[in-house]
């Protein structure tokens, strides 16, 4: 079984701007996503591949996960991306515009047959950003054992549906993404907040909505977004303390032959105990 990753904040940066990759590699983000897709013009994609190769061989990313957002499976650009990447230095591939499990099957076969030893441990973060992809969310989440997260791309989704980028309009697709990820026992990562990327308070408010829905982290565009996102997706000391009391009380009740308990005035059964266990697990990953 794969060890869970800390993916509160994933900072995405254009792959052709090596100086920005260097800055991202020393940021407080949990992961650095080097982009070759929408954040890079067609003319700059070859330069992005070269810069990412250089970054992976020359930059110390520390504890940060090294991720590359490649172009969509089945495109010529995707094939060029895979040919250029040094897989031995990569932790995960961020795959855009996934609309079926077959696309991930194809990528999985490529990685499984790669001669590079490290390829066997590369993970997949599958992006769901179209109506068709959303309607196949569970199929996509289940398609490959390499897939450890699904990401909701709200920008492309709202462009396709004509809906607004608001809490109300995104509530249903966000909930579907979380449900599919949960059913497959993988993570759900929410889209970046791009209405005001330098507004830490607005970023925090949007992250709180995502956490309440069940997401485990968010993509971020700007360094100002990292701290509020990390804060929101890290259980507080009060939350950790409450979770521990719940687990202890439930275990004591179970040993006594009971199935329920009461903690801080709250009725506790196995479902609440499992929520508390997730809080402790996330706090442990975050070093709390």
């Amino acid at each position: 079984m794969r060890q869970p990753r800390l993916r509160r904040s994933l900072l995405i940066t254009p792959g052709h701007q090596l100086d920005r990759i260097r800055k991202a590699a020393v940021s407080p983000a949990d992961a650095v996503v080097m982009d070759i897709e929408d954040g890079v013009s067609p003319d700059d994609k070859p330069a992005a591949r070269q810069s990412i190769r250089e970054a992976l061989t020359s930059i110390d990313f520390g504890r940060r996960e090294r991720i590359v957002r490649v172009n969509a499976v089945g495109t010529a650009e995707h094939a060029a991306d895979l040919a250029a990447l040094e897989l031995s230095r990569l932790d995960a591939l961020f795959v855009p515009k996934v609309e079926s499990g077959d696309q991930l099957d194809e990528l999985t076969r490529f990685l499984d047959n790669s001669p590079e030893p490290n390829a066997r441990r590369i993970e997949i973060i599958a992006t769901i950003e179209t109506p068709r992809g959303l309607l196949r969310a569970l199929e996509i989440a289940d398609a490959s054992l390499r897939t450890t997260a699904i990401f909701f791309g709200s920008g492309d989704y709202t462009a396709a549906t004509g809906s607004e980028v608001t809490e109300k309009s995104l509530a249903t697709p966000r909930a579907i993404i979380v449900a599919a990820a949960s059913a497959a026992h993988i993570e759900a990562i929410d889209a970046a907040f791009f209405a005001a990327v330098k507004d830490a308070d607005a970023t925090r408010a949007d992250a709180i909505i995502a956490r309440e829905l069940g997401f485990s982290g968010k993509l971020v565009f700007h360094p100002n977004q990292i701290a509020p996102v990390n804060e929101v997706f890290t259980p507080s000391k009060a939350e950790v303390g409450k979770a521990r009391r719940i687990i202890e009380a439930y275990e004591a009740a179970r040993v006594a032959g009971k199935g329920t308990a009461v903690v801080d005035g709250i009725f506790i059964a196995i479902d609440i105990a499992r929520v508390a266990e997730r809080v402790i697990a996330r706090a442990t990953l975050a070093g709390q």
Side-chain angles (χ1 to χ4, degrees):
M1 181 179 294
R2 293 182 182 273
Q3 293 298 314
R5 290 193 182 271
L6 186 64
R7 287 172 171 161
R8 299 166 301 180
S9 55
L10 293 80
L11 177 59
I12 188 165
T13 186
H16 62 298
Q17 297 183 19
L18 190 58
D19 59 330
R20 290 184 60 176
I21 297 175
R22 287 195 180 98
K23 292 176 181 178
V26 294
S27 74
D30 294 324
V32 176
V33 182
M34 294 162 276
D35 193 18
I36 319 178
E37 199 223 3
D38 282 354
V40 179
S41 70
D43 289 343
D44 286 330
K45 290 185 189 296
R49 296 181 187 109
Q50 180 58 39
S51 292
I52 291 171
R53 279 187 64 90
E54 183 176 344
L56 290 172
T57 56
S58 66
I59 296 175
D60 181 2
F61 287 81
R63 59 166 181 78
R64 294 160 200 84
E65 190 176 2
R66 301 159 300 176
I67 303 172
V68 173
R69 181 165 75 170
V70 294
N71 288 277
V73 175
T75 65
E77 296 288 5
H78 176 80
D81 295 342
L82 294 182
L85 290 175
E86 187 169 343
L87 298 178
S88 63
R89 297 179 181 272
L90 196 61
D91 296 309
L93 290 171
F94 205 103
V95 186
K97 299 177 177 61
V98 181
E99 292 190 321
S100 73
D102 291 343
Q103 290 171 280
L104 298 185
D105 287 341
E106 179 181 335
L107 178 56
T108 297
R109 285 194 298 272
F110 171 85
L111 294 172
D112 287 348
N113 293 323
S114 171
E116 295 192 38
N118 184 64
R120 63 177 177 271
R121 71 171 186 83
I122 291 177
E123 299 178 15
I124 292 172
I125 299 174
T127 300
I128 293 177
E129 52 189 330
T130 66
R132 186 177 298 276
L134 185 69
L135 294 173
R136 293 177 172 173
L138 182 55
E139 173 195 327
I140 292 167
D142 274 338
S144 172
L145 292 176
R146 289 181 180 269
T147 304
T148 53
I150 50 176
F151 167 73
F152 176 47
S154 62
D156 283 87
Y157 177 80
T158 54
T161 60
S163 57
E164 299 292 328
V165 185
T166 64
E167 177 185 354
K168 183 177 180 180
S169 69
L170 296 180
T172 296
R174 276 172 155 173
I176 291 172
I177 295 292
V178 170
S182 300
H185 304 291
I186 61 177
E187 294 178 295
I189 300 170
D190 193 30
F193 179 74
F194 47 82
V197 296
K198 295 184 180 180
D199 188 334
D201 290 336
T203 294
R204 182 180 291 104
D206 185 62
I208 289 171
I209 293 168
R211 178 180 170 177
E212 289 175 349
L213 285 168
F215 287 93
S216 59
K218 286 181 71 70
L219 195 72
V220 295
F221 288 139
H222 194 277
N224 286 6
Q225 296 179 311
I226 300 172
V229 167
N230 282 351
E231 174 193 335
V232 168
F233 288 100
T234 303
S236 66
K237 290 182 179 179
E239 290 171 324
V240 171
K242 182 178 179 179
R244 285 176 175 153
R245 292 195 299 276
I246 287 172
I247 293 170
E248 290 168 0
Y250 178 74
E251 284 300 313
R254 189 181 61 81
V255 170
K258 301 175 182 178
T260 61
V262 176
V263 176
D264 299 342
I266 300 174
F267 182 79
I268 305 299
I270 189 169
D271 53 343
I272 304 299
R274 286 174 177 165
V275 172
E277 289 170 352
R278 284 201 297 271
V279 170
I280 298 297
R282 289 198 59 77
T284 301
L285 276 177
Q288 296 292 99

